[in-house]
Amino acid sequence: MKLRFVLLALLAIGTFGGTAALLYAWESSIAPIDPRSLGALDRAVVRRGASLALLGDCATCHTAPGGPPYAGGLAMPTPFGTIYSTNITPDPETGIGRWSEQAFIRALRSGVDREGRHLYPAFPYDHFTRVSDDDTKALYAFFMSLDPVKSSAPPNELPFPLNVRLTLAGWKLLFLRRARFVADPSKDEKWNRGKYLVDGLGHCGACHSPRNLLGAEMKSAGFAGGEAEGWRAYALGRGSLSPVAWDEAALADYLARGSHPLHGTAQGPMANVVDNLSHVDPADVGAMAHYLASLGKGEGRNDAERAASGPGRFSQAAGAQAATPAIPSEPGGAIYATVCASCHDGDRPLPLGGLRLDLSTAVADATPVNLINLVVRGIPAAAGASAHPIMPGFGDVLDDRQVSDLASYLRTRFAGKQQWDGLTKAVAEARGGR
Amino acid sequence: MTTLIVNGDSRTIEASPDTPLLYVLRDELGLNAAKFGCGLGQCGACTVIVDGKAVFSCVTPVMVLEGRTVTTLEGIGSRDAPGPMQRAFIAEQAAQCGYCIPGMMMRAQALLNRDPHATDESIEAELQPHLCRCGTHMRILRAIRRAAEEMRPKTVEARTAR
């Protein structure tokens, strides 16, 4: 009797709770529009939207390799499964052609599509929710101005229960704070502009911050370094492990040009970011650099010490083709001396001279991932950039053991830091992923 | 002293271990097919096959190749008995000045050894690291497609045709 009562009570609570959760999680559909009803778009607004789309790096995820821009279909591996980016061209059937402005705004701010389905947070609406009304509307105008492309993304590959989109309502309850950016009146306009772009559309923290077990950014460890598509996104600000401290000028230069003589070259997903930033208003890039510089400096040396550390101060022989000193007996040292030193330890100017490796964040960082990627893949030549660094990849020349020996030697000699844990495993993983 | 297996023969290399493979092949072993182009691993003229993979011999010191297998253009055919890749390049008249061609042939050979059914797209993508100033690119691609056809095992061909 008593047991039956308890069971009934539990069932009642369960039903009530379930219904409440369902009501909370449920999002309504927003009526489709006829794309022709939009009429002529304001060209100035569209242009501004185009620049904002570059700042937001939209094409990087919403374009499949070799596919038309913004037509989606890129496979994004996450710790939970593979998610495919969607088509955000205005195709009525497969894209966002039937989305009203209101539906677009809801997607960016609440992560819900026009039909009311929750979107996975691989789409960084936790950042885009901070974007202003005007900017969000300009983005909508830009996407609606594109040529429609008919293209459907493959279905996501996620295990149960993650494939049930309603579960995302719980994720949002825990981690999504829907709020526009609010300027800090104690700071100047440039700082506020920079923070608005970095935290909002730029969604820098999406890669540069660590994520918790549920895949949400850890706010307590903002910019403490994260991971993106097999690359390490370095810690920014006070947690930076760059051997040379970043300042505003260096950040502005790096973000606008993709490389800096004392810091090296943006590779991996960051290469797309800086490529996009090279086409936006330099004042916006400058504001981002200004804000990022205000986050503080890490363990790197200060500006005064920098003067003594320009590239090419190791080798005394001007113009030496390969001033290789005696080959060390240590395997990693021997590889450095014979394979790397002629570029990384000489006097050659860019693009032939490589970054001195005591300046390399890849060598000084907490994980060896980027160093391994660089050794294995090299740095491809960038179209139209004659002073851009280049490096052939050595993945087909050096075996796992040799890459590991080399990385271990570089770590000790150039960073003077404790050896990485799990280096051998990291090498095998980086090469297996090729 | 470094030991390499070059075109099937074990060779003991006299040159200092930091010498690039390209110089060893040309100066010590007299194998002149691989060419010096840029010396930076950016043009592809020096490409040879090491353990099945196309590598730039100009930036590869022999020291790191101890005991490995190197195949040069001389290893896939000769003037008197050209291999399928070489026959295809001759048939398509794919060389103009010819300086880049040995490297192109070696990377194409490595690709077809690995994937005899390589698509046009994968051939183009694979050849990306190679520069040709004469502009015979279309003929080069035709030659590689022709070589692929010739190299595919005929029995497989017949089976798929049925």
Side-chain angles (χ1 to χ4, degrees):
Chain A
M1 186 67 189
K2 211 171 186 183
L3 182 69
R4 192 184 295 170
F5 175 76
V6 171
L7 284 176
L8 272 174
L10 279 176
L11 187 68
I13 293 168
T15 312
F16 177 77
T19 312
L22 197 63
L23 281 175
Y24 173 81
W26 193 260
E27 294 282 354
S28 59
S29 170
I30 292 178
I33 59 159
D34 180 349
R36 285 165 301 183
S37 71
L38 281 180
L41 296 158
D42 183 331
R43 288 177 65 179
V45 175
V46 168
R47 253 203 310 279
R48 208 160 57 80
S51 174
L52 292 165
L54 289 170
L55 276 162
D57 216 29
C58 310
T60 301
C61 288
H62 284 282
T63 306
Y70 301 111
L74 177 76
M76 286 182 287
T78 76
F80 309 100
T82 302
I83 292 174
Y84 292 88
S85 66
T86 52
N87 180 354
I88 52 170
T89 70
D91 181 62
E93 270 74 51
T94 62
I96 61 167
R98 296 198 181 283
W99 290 37
S100 62
E101 188 179 73
Q102 187 204 348
F104 181 82
I105 292 173
R106 181 174 73 167
L108 256 74
R109 292 185 174 169
S110 301
V112 175
D113 74 3
R114 187 190 65 75
E115 289 95 330
R117 283 177 303 209
H118 288 282
L119 298 169
Y120 290 98
F123 174 45
Y125 44 79
D126 49 338
H127 289 273
F128 296 162
T129 184
R130 288 169 223 188
V131 178
S132 73
D133 288 351
D134 277 0
D135 284 355
T136 309
K137 289 175 181 173
L139 280 165
Y140 175 72
F142 167 65
F143 290 123
M144 295 311 269
S145 79
L146 297 172
D147 287 335
V149 177
K150 198 170 279 308
S151 172
S152 296
N156 294 331
E157 292 149 21
L158 292 166
F160 181 83
L162 299 175
N163 57 356
V164 180
R165 287 178 181 265
L166 281 177
T167 55
L168 290 166
W171 189 92
K172 290 177 184 177
L173 182 66
L174 292 171
F175 304 117
L176 176 63
R177 298 289 164 263
R178 296 177 180 89
R180 302 301 84 69
F181 171 77
V182 181
D184 179 347
S186 72
K187 299 287 204 301
D188 64 16
E189 203 179 314
K190 190 176 185 183
W191 186 92
N192 276 305
R193 176 72 182 159
K195 183 170 171 58
Y196 168 74
L197 292 171
V198 165
D199 289 352
L201 210 42
H203 66 285
C204 306
C207 294
H208 287 278
S209 297
R211 288 176 181 269
N212 64 22
L213 285 174
L214 293 171
E217 281 174 44
M218 294 162 71
K219 297 293 173 205
S220 56
F223 296 128
E227 188 267 336
E229 291 148 58
W231 291 78
R232 167 88 171 156
Y234 296 134
L236 309 177
R238 276 191 299 277
S240 168
L241 298 176
S242 168
V244 175
W246 285 93
D247 61 19
E248 185 178 333
L251 283 162
D253 215 33
Y254 179 84
L255 291 176
R257 297 192 309 118
S259 69
H260 185 279
L262 297 177
H263 291 284
T265 312
Q267 288 295 295
M270 192 64 193
N272 292 316
V273 174
V274 294
D275 187 35
N276 288 334
L277 291 181
S278 71
H279 300 290
V280 306
D281 183 353
D284 278 343
V285 179
M288 291 169 88
H290 181 69
Y291 169 67
L292 290 170
S294 79
L295 296 175
K297 286 181 180 171
E299 62 175 32
R301 285 165 297 167
N302 63 25
D303 294 357
E305 282 168 292
R306 236 185 210 207
S309 61
R313 301 287 162 91
F314 274 8
S315 160
Q316 300 303 312
Q321 182 71 20
T324 314
I327 300 170
S329 56
E330 192 185 341
I335 295 169
Y336 175 75
T338 60
V339 178
C340 320
S342 66
C343 289
H344 284 281
D345 216 333
D347 265 336
R348 297 178 180 187
L350 278 177
L352 315 183
L355 183 73
R356 261 178 41 190
L357 295 182
D358 61 331
L359 304 179
S360 165
T361 310
V363 177
D365 195 53
T367 86
V369 175
N370 287 9
L371 177 62
I372 296 165
N373 286 344
L374 287 164
V375 169
V376 168
R377 307 177 196 196
I379 298 173
S386 61
H388 194 274
I390 48 168
M391 173 180 152
F394 290 92
D396 289 338
V397 172
L398 303 175
D399 61 24
D400 283 14
R401 174 71 184 275
Q402 288 171 318
V403 173
S404 179
D405 284 345
L406 174 63
S408 154
Y409 171 82
L410 298 178
R411 176 76 167 173
T412 309
R413 173 164 168 201
F414 292 107
K417 288 185 175 179
Q418 202 189 341
Q419 208 44 249
W420 287 295
D421 285 335
L423 175 59
T424 320
K425 192 166 157 264
V427 172
E429 276 175 9
R431 312 236 302 178
R434 256 157 44 92
Chain B
M1 215 96 92
T2 315
T3 308
L4 303 176
I5 301 169
V6 182
N7 298 333
D9 297 329
S10 180
R11 308 293 294 256
T12 302
I13 307 303
E14 303 290 331
S16 114
D18 60 340
T19 311
L21 174 62
L22 177 65
Y23 299 169
V24 168
L25 294 174
R26 295 179 58 90
D27 301 343
E28 192 171 327
L29 304 179
L31 298 168
N32 291 318
K35 300 288 185 279
F36 181 93
C38 65
L40 297 162
Q42 298 293 319
C43 76
C46 67
T47 302
V48 299
I49 298 176
V50 175
D51 286 347
K53 290 179 173 150
V55 308
F56 302 126
S57 63
C58 74
V59 290
T60 305
V62 284
M63 186 203 78
V64 301
L65 301 180
E66 175 60 45
R68 295 214 231 165
T69 302
V70 178
T71 308
T72 70
L73 188 62
E74 291 89 343
I76 62 168
S78 63
R79 183 192 290 258
D80 299 328
M85 185 65 70
Q86 292 147 324
R87 287 200 298 274
F89 270 70
I90 294 165
E92 295 292 345
Q93 289 292 289
Q96 187 166 319
C97 88
Y99 202 78
C100 70
I101 297 296
M104 297 255 195
M105 285 198 270
M106 293 317 284
R107 189 174 297 272
Q109 182 79 36
L111 171 67
L112 296 180
N113 288 349
R114 190 170 76 229
D115 176 11
H117 297 274
T119 61
D120 289 1
E121 290 76 35
S122 68
I123 293 171
E124 278 181 43
E126 184 73 17
L127 272 275
Q128 198 64 39
H130 291 254
L131 302 181
C132 162
R133 285 273 169 112
C134 300
T136 62
H137 300 74
M138 301 318 284
R139 286 172 181 242
I140 291 168
L141 292 173
R142 275 208 300 276
I144 296 170
R145 284 197 288 269
R146 177 189 279 260
E149 260 165 52
E150 201 177 324
M151 284 164 65
R152 255 175 246 146
K154 289 293 180 281
T155 48
V156 174
E157 195 90 318
R159 227 181 293 138
T160 46
R162 237 183 282 142

